[in-house]
């Protein structure tokens, strides 16, 4: 057995092919699928549903955040942890009910900096009016943890018309694929500010809670599937959706909104904006007839101002993603091995 | 401001006076108490309740585990993470419905060891028949994390006769205080196996899920309050309960069950077994008339075989804990500054 296979590598946590393999080969099979809800562990969705006896369906999601650096252009680990968890609920069509906060701190971490991080975390909860209900604090010795890690679990209830959570794969041929805004901002902004590059750029992370723009379209019952393209970016999320649904997703490169600053960094660093994490964007799949209505709704809010349709669901190459590159060119958009930026979130 | 106050110290995560101060001064005030359930963030209970619209009260708890070493006599970080979370639900009178699993791994962590940890985690879930519903995996670079950290969030529903979770402070003068078994096993076993000591002992951690022994007494409606004495041990848990309830708790030293091996290590290391973590024990407060019935129920199961009454609730010194040390001696059992064993759980 090669060394790559019997030990954890950076790509095992990078949201692509290798993380998927880790979960399928080492995690999922070990846990019996008991009386969970409709969307359980093996769905590998943004979260899961749990049936509460006589009380219906809850949506639950959990995320640890180890982003480096702790503060970055456009946000910090506190804002990221809160928004990331709210977004995982939001893309399942769930109104956030409550969040938990698990802090792991390195000895010597400045309490003043912790205060700033918690203020950022709290500000996001204020934006979406969600309570923090409980937490946990652990401390590791000097050199045992690189500063801080934050886990957040979110609990929500589906705000859909039928009270059922929205998955990321229940769509069919003919449906359209939308994104709520520009792609690649978080990953490229993080990459640029890393010590090894320290590039000058005005690009900021897009980290933001999406429930305010997703709630109206969820309540209207016009969303077929949703997913937030975090680690591994749009490429990973679309491949995941194509594989799970057994369909082909075809997108048009020219229609994907990418900020000029993100494209510039991409050209400089040789990293595709489609393969890096977004932290304030969602992919929506809707029926063709609903596209205009959904885009109009999303664009009302600044967070959805650049929402656009980027492609459609076909039956051409099941479980694959096709990228139309213009002037008649087409290629597969592959599942990345993992996000090229370590500790991106 | 002194260096102790403006930076994180080991005691900030050690379950005693300093952690309490960190939470009260830096965390709680920042988060508005919104429409949470009856037991919210500021209760600093083992978990919290969340009201689900039209669906009643849920119990939620979260814990990160950073125990060192990862494998220890009687268990490992996987068993600890699952049991710890189930116990936090159990002492709130809640039947566990579902668990989440947030893994943070250091690059190079052996997948074979991860398999063993996950098998331990899964075995506990099998013992109590609870599903793992979702998770998250992050990887940190070599030297950025000491091997592995695991966060687990648990969701449950109160199995009490009135459907309401059991807090840790709603008792009154005359009530009796019970423990479900020997005190100090986990902390002393961990201490003994640490590299700096490597002491020979047959003592093992008590890590175990307590729902099987607590469910019958919860369903019988005879428990007034419960808490699991983890970090900071019995001393921290009882002081916390006395402070919150505004009562005095008086316990009799000779009645507290302590294994001879634990007492021996305690004498050797100069650490009180009452101040170190337990991971398979609960403190129960019951009405005086229910003591025999509760003890009989607990003792049916091996996990409760050593259950015993250790004291009672009085009005003598409100918010304090008194220890009867025999032959007429009495002293305050103080809130420890924190558990003396770092990374105990």
């Amino acid at each position: 057995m090669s060394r790559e296979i019997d030990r954890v590598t950076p790509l095992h946590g990078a949201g692509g092919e290798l993380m998927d393999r880790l979960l399928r080969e080492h995690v999922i099979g070990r846990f019996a699928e008991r009386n969970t809800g409709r969307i359980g562990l093996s769905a590998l969705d943004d979260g899961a549903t749990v049936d509460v006896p006589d009380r219906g369906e809850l949506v639950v999601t959990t995320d640890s955040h180890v982003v480096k650096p702790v503060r970055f252009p456009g946000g910090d680990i506190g804002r990221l942890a809160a928004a990331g968890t709210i977004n995982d609920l939001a893309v399942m069509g769930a109104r956030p009910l409550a969040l938990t906060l698990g802090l792991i701190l390195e000895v010597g971490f400045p309490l003043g900096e912790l205060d700033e991080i918690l203020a950022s975390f709290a500000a996001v909860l204020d934006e979406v009016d969600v309570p923090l209900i409980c937490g946990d604090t652990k401390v590791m010795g000097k050199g045992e943890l690189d500063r801080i890690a934050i886990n957040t679990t979110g609990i929500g209830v589906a705000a859909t018309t039928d009270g059922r959570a929205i998955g990321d794969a229940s769509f069919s041929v003919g449906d359209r694929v939308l994104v709520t805004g520009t792609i690649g901002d978080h990953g490229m902004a993080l990459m640029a500010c890393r010590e090894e590059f320290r590039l000058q750029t005005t690009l900021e992370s897009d980290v933001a809670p999406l429930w305010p723009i997703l709630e109206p379209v969820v309540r209207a019952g016009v969303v077929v599937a949703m997913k937030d393209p975090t680690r591994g970016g749009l490429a990973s999320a679309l491949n995941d959706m194509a594989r799970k649904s057994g369909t082909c997703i075809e997108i048009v490169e020219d229609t994907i909104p990418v900020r000029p600053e993100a494209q510039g960094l991409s050209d400089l660093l040789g990293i595709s904006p489609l393969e890096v994490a977004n932290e304030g964007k969602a992919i929506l799949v809707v029926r063709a007839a609903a596209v205009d209505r959904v885009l109009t709704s999303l664009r009302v809010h600044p967070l959805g101002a650049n929402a656009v349709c980027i492609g459609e669901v076909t039956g051409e190459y099941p479980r694959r993603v096709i990228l139309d590159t213009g002037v008649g060119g087409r290629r597969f958009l592959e599942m990345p091995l993992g996000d090229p930026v370590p500790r991106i979130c």
Side-chain angles (χ1 to χ4, degrees), chain A residues 153-173:
Chain A
T153 298
I155 296 164
V157 278
T160 51
T161 43
D162 63 0
R164 288 157 67 93
I166 297 171
D168 57 11
S170 51
F171 49 84
S172 41
V173 173

Side-chain angles (χ1 to χ4, degrees), chain A residues 307-336:
Chain A
V308 68
C309 178
I310 63 165
E312 67 180 299
V313 181
T314 77
E316 193 176 9
Y317 296 98
R319 302 170 53 82
R320 301 301 298 269
V321 179
I322 306 280
L323 185 69
D324 289 351
T325 51
V327 293
R330 295 169 88 217
R331 65 173 176 89
F332 288 120
L333 181 67
E334 301 290 346
M335 171 70 102

Side-chain angles (χ1 to χ4, degrees), chain A residues 293-313:
Chain A
R293 178 179 172 190
V294 171
L295 289 178
T296 302
S297 172
L298 292 171
R299 289 172 182 161
V300 166
H301 195 286
L303 286 175
N306 296 310
V308 68
C309 178
I310 63 165
E312 67 180 299
V313 181

